[in-house]
């Protein structure tokens, strides 16, 4: 019989030692695919890039239940060095999901079909969409996901049956001015003046305060190596969040307008496009109840938290939005994670990984009826 604690730790250490950014998860994907195959799954690889789907059928009628984990790490610049780190805990998600998959293969699937989905490029908000577009996920009825939570949201020994991510989008803008000699600025249009006006215009956007939201400039590149010319091209990125999809859609339009009209105040031209993003969470109440029962069974009633509303985004929510009939729930696992997600020093209580495995197993067991 598989020792869950030992196995999840072993897989975690392997994945943690080979962090790879979105769509470059080649070694990670190969390792996970081989392990699934060895456990007895029928495995399809290369889905939407490096994605994998493992399937085990009970041979009996029933629903198709899926567990989904993300595989990608993040790049960070630390002391001038570019490094890749599993700073969002996706190594732990994949380790918990693979361990649960191996245990379920060993125990045998009771009814219906079990699918294990390893998704690339969650951080780019592109991996889920790419896998959906391939058609490989059609036919899934139920899907569970899980994410480690920062200590501010959940502590070790606690878990939440529903993480309500907001809608989250990245908007990219290009501003075009007119270059000129630094001595003759009146003959040019300085894109830095334009970009400053754009930042001001974006910062002046308002939205219904009842719905939490935020917009901020996260990139502004302008000017080159020559310092005595008027720069004529700027690239900007805005990070937009809103707890309701309707607010997010309205805000996207307002940002596009602000970019164009802000730049126009100094005569520059600009355009803005949504580069990536994800809609907000929408869960199935029956599955959230199953998640609640699974958490209580593993952590006891004191470990069960209420649903958590978080400003973070997750491309997991495309599965519900884009696949007909697919219902989801997404569990947040407390593990004293500090200093925070996306911090290069991210660390957490590893003793919670076997608990996460047990919660996933229980959730699948309760769904397979
Ligand atoms: Zn992340
Ligand atoms: Zn993440």
């Amino acid at each position: 019989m598989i020792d869950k604690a030992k196995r999840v730790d072993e897989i975690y250490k392997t994945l943690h030692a080979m962090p790879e950014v979105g769509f470059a998860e080649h070694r990670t994907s190969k390792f996970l695919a081989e392990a699934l195959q060895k456990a007895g799954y029928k495995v399809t690889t290369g889905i939407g890039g490096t994605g994998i789907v493992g399937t085990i059928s009970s041979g009996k009628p029933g629903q198709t239940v899926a567990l989904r984990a993300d595989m990608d790490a993040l790049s960070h610049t630390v002391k001038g060095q570019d490094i890749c780190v599993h700073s969002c805990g996706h190594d732990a998600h994949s380790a918990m999901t693979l361990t649960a998959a191996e245990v379920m293969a060993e125990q045998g699937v009771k009814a219906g079909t079990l699918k294990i989905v390893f998704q690339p490029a969650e951080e780019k908000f592109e991996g889920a969409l790419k896998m959906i577009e391939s058609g490989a996920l059609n036919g899934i009825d139920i899907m569970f996901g899980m994410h480690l939570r920062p200590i501010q949201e959940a502590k070790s020994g606690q878990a939440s049956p529903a993480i309500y991510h907001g809608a989250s989008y990245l908007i990219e803008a290009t501003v075009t001015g007119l270059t000129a000699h630094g001595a003759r600025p009146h003959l040019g249009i300085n894109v830095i003046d334009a970009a400053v006006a754009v930042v001001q215009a974006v910062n002046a956007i308002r939205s219904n305060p009842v719905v939490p939201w935020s917009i901020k400039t996260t990139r502004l590149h302008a000017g080159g190596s020559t310092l005595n010319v008027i720069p004529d091209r700027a690239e900007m990125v805005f990070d937009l969040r809103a707890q309701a999809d309707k607010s997010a859609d309205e805000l996207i339009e307002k940002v596009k307008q602000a970019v164009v009209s802000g730049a126009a105040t100094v005569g520059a031209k600009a355009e803005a496009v949504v580069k990536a993003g994800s809609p907000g969470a929408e869960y199935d109440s029956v599955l959230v109840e199953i998640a609640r029962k699974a958490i209580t069974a593993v952590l006891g009633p004191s470990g069960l938290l209420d649903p958590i509303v978080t400003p973070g985004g997750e491309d997991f929510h495309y599965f519900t939005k884009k696949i007909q009939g697919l219902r989801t729930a997404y569990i947040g696992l407390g593990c004293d994670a500090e200093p925070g997600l996306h911090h290069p020093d991210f660390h957490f209580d590893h003793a919670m990984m076997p608990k996460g495995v047990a919660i996933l197993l229980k959730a699948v067991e309760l769904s397979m009826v």
Side-chain angles (χ1 to χ4, degrees):
M1 224 172 86
I2 295 166
D3 178 338
K4 292 196 273 284
K6 201 169 149 233
R7 182 63 180 143
V8 76
D9 192 58
E10 183 180 86
I11 300 168
Y12 170 80
K13 281 180 180 146
T14 303
L15 296 177
H16 191 71
M18 52 183 186
E20 296 166 302
V21 293
F23 294 127
E25 311 94 332
H26 302 292
R27 291 175 66 202
T28 304
S29 172
K30 188 168 179 280
F31 169 81
L32 293 168
E34 283 172 3
L36 277 180
Q37 218 145 23
K38 203 172 154 211
Y41 285 79
K42 185 174 156 280
V43 179
T44 315
T45 57
I47 302 170
T50 48
I52 304 164
V53 177
T55 307
I56 280 193
S57 181
S58 66
K60 294 177 209 139
Q63 311 210 72
T64 298
V65 180
L67 290 182
R68 170 273 199 181
D70 34 21
M71 302 186 286
D72 52 329
L74 286 135
S75 64
H76 291 273
T77 307
V78 177
K79 291 180 186 146
Q81 288 260 329
D82 286 338
I83 55 165
C84 192
V85 187
H86 264 298
S87 56
C88 202
H90 297 187
D91 46 357
H93 307 161
S94 285
M96 291 189 288
T97 300
L98 177 58
T99 307
E102 290 178 348
V103 171
M104 278 182 285
E106 191 182 58
Q107 289 174 351
V109 178
K110 280 196 303 185
T113 301
L114 174 68
K115 285 193 186 272
I116 304 298
V117 178
F118 287 113
Q119 184 209 301
E122 190 284 322
E123 297 294 352
K124 293 182 154 80
F125 283 154
E126 290 175 45
L129 278 175
K130 284 273 185 297
M131 286 194 88
I132 292 164
E133 281 163 16
S134 77
L137 306 181
N138 292 344
I140 295 175
D141 300 301
I142 291 173
M143 182 184 266
F144 288 101
M146 182 179 268
H147 205 296
L148 306 184
R149 301 320 300 167
I151 194 166
Q152 297 82 1
E153 288 185 8
K155 296 190 171 57
S156 258
Q158 300 178 323
S160 165
I163 301 297
Y164 282 94
H165 301 101
S168 173
Y169 293 95
L170 292 173
I171 301 171
E172 210 169 54
T174 311
V175 186
T176 312
L178 185 64
T179 192
H181 194 296
R184 298 177 192 87
H186 59 295
L187 299 179
I189 298 170
N190 191 330
V191 284
I192 293 178
D193 293 336
V196 168
V198 167
V199 172
Q200 302 276 26
V202 167
N203 287 349
I205 288 173
R206 298 287 177 264
S207 184
N208 184 353
V210 170
V211 180
W213 63 278
S214 72
I215 305 172
K216 69 290 313 180
T217 310
T218 54
R219 176 183 288 166
L220 168 50
H221 285 167
S225 52
T226 311
L227 302 180
N228 55 0
V229 298
I230 302 300
D232 66 347
R233 188 183 157 86
E235 281 149 23
M236 307 179 75
V237 175
F238 308 94
D239 172 294
L240 185 158
R241 316 256 160 174
Q243 286 304 136
D245 287 343
K246 188 168 170 280
S247 293
D249 293 344
E250 285 169 11
L251 283 165
I252 287 170
E253 286 315 307
K254 287 185 179 182
V255 170
K256 286 181 177 174
Q257 276 172 24
V259 167
V260 173
S261 45
T265 59
V266 296
K269 289 201 166 33
E271 59 172 356
V273 289
V274 175
K275 189 177 169 246
S278 168
E282 207 178 283
Y283 299 127
D284 180 80
S285 57
V286 174
L287 298 185
V288 172
E289 193 48 41
I290 284 177
R292 206 172 258 133
K293 282 183 184 153
I295 292 167
T296 310
V298 175
L299 302 177
S302 62
L304 177 68
L305 296 178
D306 286 334
I308 293 171
V309 176
T310 173
E314 235 304 338
D315 76 350
F316 180 81
H317 305 303
Y318 277 120
F319 295 122
T320 327
K321 290 264 185 295
K322 303 266 181 189
I323 299 176
Q324 189 84 27
L326 189 150
R327 299 175 291 131
T328 62
Y330 191 89
I331 298 163
L333 185 69
C335 54
D336 288 352
E338 288 183 296
L341 300 171
H342 292 201
H343 191 291
D345 299 330
F346 174 77
H347 59 91
F348 66 98
D349 175 9
H350 293 189
M352 283 307 288
M353 284 195 293
K355 304 283 186 198
V357 174
I359 293 169
L360 291 174
L361 287 168
K362 194 76 190 165
V364 171
E365 185 199 314
L366 292 171
S367 308
M368 282 190 158
V369 284

